[in-house]
Amino acid sequence: MIQRNVYAAMDAAELSSSVSDHFAHRWSDYDRQIRQAIPSYDFVLDLLVDIVRRGSSPPMSIVDAGIGTGQLAARLLTAFPEARLIGIDIVPDYLELAAQRLECYSQRVALIEGDLATLELPDGADLYVTSFALHHMTDATKQKVYRQMHAGLRADGVIVNVDFVDSPSRYYSSLFDQMRIELMRAEGMSVAEIDDRYVRHRQLEIPTSLVRQMGWLDSIGCCDVECFWKYLNLAMFGGRKRSW
Ligand SMILES: C[S@@+](CC[C@H](N)C(=O)[O-])C[C@H]1O[C@@H](n2cnc3c(N)ncnc32)[C@H](O)[C@@H]1O
């Protein structure tokens, strides 16, 4: 049985009820929907694991911030059989699905229900990952979360984020949206589904540009800040905590 702790409910100012509703309504069919909506979803999660695997030593302590149904966590627990993982999410139904998916790793997993924006994030991690979870936060909150992740890392620990990113160019921002919509149509999503899951969802997003977020990682004390992958308005990037 996976240990599960519940912390303070969401910060209403940060995670508006429409955003939490957006996530809460989608948990049951999430695994299918995310693959339709995010091109290369499996590829990018596998790439993240591969990049971490090639680091100097395997992570022993991992935090997955916004764990969802545990797709990334399962990959990490398989790739690093000695690692312990803490998964955090604000939606209890997602945590339930993550608990089911990760049951076979139960001795190595703890789940926390809470809001990343207000929670005190765990210490002593070798790896902080977050995938498609921060794009509803304001810049100030994203920076606070990055700072906390960095503070919670051991020296040489790594932060990796995969998320929607804003384009500084209005032209490319709109082109990327158009291309994402075409990809979703090709994946079999109806116009109504795309409107519900992408177009309206975009109005709830507060994406931040890749360059800006990489700059924040640099300024809070990360080295080796790098973009590992970018495709249209999606990117994976991260950095390593300087050992000074
Ligand atoms: C699009 S899903 C991604 C889930 C998972 N990381 C993945 O890659 O499949 C975003 C997840 O982040 C969680 N989330 C969003 N904002 C959050 C917050 N402020 N605190 C904790 N979890 C949050 C949502 O509940 C949801 O499970």
Side-chain angles (χ1 to χ4, degrees):
M1 192 74 169
I2 294 180
Q3 182 200 332
R4 203 156 145 185
N5 294 320
V6 180
Y7 288 90
M10 76 194 80
D11 178 341
E14 283 297 343
L15 192 76
S16 68
S17 59
S18 49
V19 172
S20 67
D21 284 352
H22 169 83
F23 286 121
H25 287 151
R26 279 156 176 81
W27 63 268
S28 58
D29 195 20
Y30 173 82
D31 289 344
R32 185 184 64 85
Q33 292 188 13
I34 197 150
R35 288 185 170 83
Q36 283 186 315
I38 298 187
S40 309
Y41 174 76
D42 290 293
F43 170 83
V44 76
L45 298 191
D46 289 341
L47 178 63
L48 189 160
V49 175
D50 199 20
I51 285 166
V52 174
R53 197 199 319 261
R54 288 157 193 275
S56 51
S57 53
M60 300 300 284
S61 171
I62 301 172
V63 181
D64 186 342
I67 187 171
T69 64
Q71 301 236 25
L72 176 56
R75 286 166 160 87
L76 290 163
L77 287 159
T78 305
F80 306 112
E82 305 295 314
R84 304 184 70 79
L85 182 142
I86 298 173
I88 304 169
D89 207 285
I90 198 166
V91 176
D93 291 324
Y94 278 125
L95 286 174
E96 186 49 46
L97 289 175
Q100 287 169 25
R101 186 187 302 278
L102 305 177
E103 186 54 38
C104 57
Y105 310 101
S106 61
Q107 301 304 310
R108 299 194 279 134
V109 177
L111 296 176
I112 297 176
E113 182 186 327
D115 184 350
L116 294 167
T118 52
L119 200 65
E120 196 172 317
L121 297 183
D123 274 343
D126 302 306
L127 175 65
Y128 254 99
V129 292
T130 180
S131 52
F132 309 106
L134 305 188
H135 57 276
H136 295 287
M137 295 175 181
T138 61
D139 278 7
T141 305
K142 281 192 199 99
Q143 288 179 79
K144 178 180 159 195
V145 171
Y146 282 134
R147 271 197 300 272
Q148 277 217 30
M149 288 179 179
H150 181 264
L153 281 178
R154 297 195 176 120
D156 269 343
V158 171
I159 300 176
V160 185
N161 181 15
V162 194
D163 210 352
F164 304 108
V165 291
D166 192 27
S167 171
S169 148
R170 217 181 265 184
Y171 169 77
Y172 283 114
S173 178
S174 129
L175 182 68
F176 294 161
D177 277 333
Q178 191 51 47
M179 292 170 76
R180 291 281 308 278
I181 288 168
E182 284 171 22
L183 287 166
M184 286 177 224
R185 288 289 288 151
E187 284 295 321
M189 286 173 69
S190 68
V191 172
E193 283 174 320
I194 293 171
D195 186 53
D196 182 41
R197 287 192 235 146
Y198 189 76
V199 179
R200 279 201 258 155
H201 183 65
R202 288 287 272 134
Q203 288 156 17
L204 303 172
E205 290 176 5
I206 316 171
T208 305
S209 80
L210 173 62
V211 170
R212 201 168 159 86
Q213 296 192 69
M214 289 173 68
W216 292 340
L217 291 181
D218 187 57
S219 67
I220 60 176
C222 286
C223 59
D224 298 327
V225 175
E226 182 56 281
C227 172
F228 307 115
W229 173 86
K230 183 171 187 304
Y231 183 56
L232 307 178
N233 54 8
L234 301 163
M236 174 167 66
F237 56 96
R240 196 160 53 80
K241 185 167 182 165
R242 272 189 207 109
S243 42
W244 302 106

